[in-house]
Amino acid sequence: MANPGQKVVLITGCSSGIGLRMAVMLAKDEKQRYHVIATMRDLKRKDKLVEAAGDAYGKSLSLAVLDVCTDESVKQCIDGIKDRHVDVLINNAGIGLVGPVESISIAEMKSVFETNFFGVIRMIKEVMPDMKKRKGGHIIVVSSVMGLQGVVFNDVYAASKFAMEGFCECLAVQLLKFNVTMSMIEPGPVHTEFESKMIQDVRQKEFPGADADTVNYFKNVYLPSSVDIFETLGQTPDDIARCTKKVIEQGSSARFRNLTNPLYTPIVALKYADETGGLSVHAFYHMLFNLGPLMHVSMKAMQYLTCGCLRSRTISPN
């Protein structure tokens, strides 16, 4: 139970990665401003979180079962909170999907949307009425830079994030009238066990339904370039947690969109510099298919493209 003056922060997807680090960082806040309710589908996976939380576990951090893919689980979780009072909702739970679209079943696509899109909507619908009634609250969604700029072979994942960006952009306008703040956290690549395992899995995977050329481009062009991007531009879960904490501290003055990595600002800028879309599409084509062997050099060049004025518009970990 939260102490007087503490904000109740509910975070989804806390068994590992970004969600775990967010929960621990907020629970260990030096000023003890937060009581964190860290949720996960299966509490059997709580050990890493409990270990990382240390003395905060049972004090400023508590655990709850939550599956964002079922209405019943979402309602039961919120009903279990005193007065159903949530000051800050952090929608972090999400799943990835990468590969040639011809080899991805509709069922797999629906599964991604069930978590990344409808799961977030379930959470928002459950806590939003009380926030509007109280005329206060902060809804945070961990989106992705892929919700702003599509990336080849990430068609379905990017689509789920684009959908969430559009949904939240619409809702943010209405929520302002009720003094409720909506913020998007938009990381690029993040070094997590989830990402590493996904890359390893797809390297071994067969892709029935996709032609040989497409599979070759995916495995021998995209994947090596993707690994290089992760090594050059990748952030840590702690980086994202720090950015999120900063957004929470900003309260009602927090920005709607928050890119966590300034090195991605030029990529997003390409899209908005040309309303026809041709500039960004062709830039990505040349980076992948013409500059693939020189991707590392391309990444270094991108660092120089990111000038101080662009960095100032981005929430950096520091």
Side-chain angles (χ1 to χ4, degrees):
M1 184 180 298
N3 295 325
Q6 282 187 319
K7 287 187 175 181
V8 177
V9 181
L10 188 146
I11 310 174
T12 67
C14 293
S15 62
S16 63
I18 294 172
L20 185 152
R21 296 312 306 167
M22 283 180 178
V24 170
M25 192 171 291
L26 292 172
K28 290 186 174 183
D29 176 58
E30 291 182 358
K31 298 179 183 178
Q32 299 182 336
R33 292 170 290 182
Y34 312 109
H35 178 82
V36 177
I37 302 171
T39 71
M40 59 190 73
R41 285 181 299 176
D42 185 359
L43 288 184
K44 292 177 182 177
R45 301 184 62 195
K46 69 180 181 180
D47 292 351
K48 287 183 180 179
L49 174 59
V50 170
E51 181 182 356
D55 293 341
Y57 177 59
K59 297 176 183 176
S60 57
L61 184 143
S62 58
L63 302 180
V65 176
L66 172 62
D67 182 354
V68 300
C69 294
T70 74
D71 295 349
E72 182 182 354
S73 179
V74 170
K75 185 178 186 305
Q76 188 173 10
C77 178
I78 303 302
D79 284 346
I81 300 171
K82 187 179 186 305
D83 298 327
R84 304 183 98 247
H85 183 109
V86 175
D87 294 294
V88 182
L89 169 65
I90 303 179
N91 295 284
N92 168 71
I95 59 176
L97 185 63
V98 63
V101 72
E102 302 98 316
S103 65
I104 300 172
S105 69
I106 296 297
E108 288 177 291
M109 297 182 189
K110 286 182 176 180
S111 178
V112 171
F113 270 80
E114 192 63 58
T115 299
N116 294 2
F117 182 64
F118 293 111
V120 175
I121 292 176
R122 282 189 185 92
M123 295 303 302
I124 291 175
K125 286 185 66 177
E126 200 65 34
V127 304
M128 183 175 65
D130 184 62
M131 288 183 173
K132 291 169 76 172
K133 190 175 182 179
R134 287 187 282 114
K135 296 290 194 296
H138 199 161
I139 297 171
I140 296 175
V141 178
V142 179
S143 180
S144 168
V145 70
M146 287 194 218
L148 302 174
Q149 171 63 60
V151 175
V152 64
F153 291 119
N154 287 269
D155 319 77
V156 179
Y157 176 77
S160 72
K161 294 299 185 178
F162 263 81
M164 183 46 55
E165 289 275 345
F167 175 88
C168 292
E169 186 172 297
C170 295
L171 192 58
V173 177
Q174 178 203 148
L175 290 179
L176 279 177
K177 191 67 176 174
F178 295 89
N179 197 38
V180 177
T181 305
M182 173 78 78
S183 296
M184 312 299 288
I185 306 295
E186 293 148 334
V190 181
H191 298 292
T192 65
E193 293 178 14
F194 168 78
E195 297 288 354
S196 300
K197 186 177 185 302
M198 186 171 68
I199 290 175
Q200 285 292 87
D201 288 347
V202 296
R203 278 176 170 161
Q204 310 300 324
K205 189 177 178 181
E206 298 296 328
F207 295 95
D211 60 272
D213 284 344
T214 299
V215 174
N216 175 57
Y217 293 142
F218 174 67
K219 287 191 172 184
N220 299 317
V221 179
Y222 167 78
L223 279 182
S225 297
S226 178
V227 170
D228 209 355
I229 289 172
F230 263 84
E231 290 177 353
T232 306
L233 303 182
Q235 293 180 292
T236 68
D238 273 346
D239 290 333
I240 313 306
R242 278 191 288 271
C243 292
T244 305
K245 186 179 180 184
K246 184 175 180 180
V247 168
I248 294 172
E249 290 169 347
Q250 291 169 343
S252 60
S253 64
R255 295 179 302 190
F256 174 63
R257 286 200 167 95
N258 301 275
L259 281 168
T260 68
N261 193 333
L263 296 177
Y264 267 86
T265 307
I267 292 177
V268 176
L270 283 176
K271 183 170 187 174
Y272 293 101
D274 173 21
E275 73 279 5
T276 71
L279 181 60
S280 61
V281 169
H282 287 94
F284 270 87
Y285 172 84
H286 288 299
M287 282 178 65
L288 183 64
F289 293 108
N290 294 339
L291 298 176
L294 301 174
M295 182 58 74
H296 185 70
V297 176
S298 301
M299 292 301 100
K300 288 297 182 184
M302 191 176 297
Q303 293 180 18
Y304 291 108
L305 284 173
T306 311
C307 64
C309 61
L310 292 175
R311 288 178 183 269
S312 67
R313 297 179 60 189
T314 308
I315 291 188
S316 67
N318 298 318

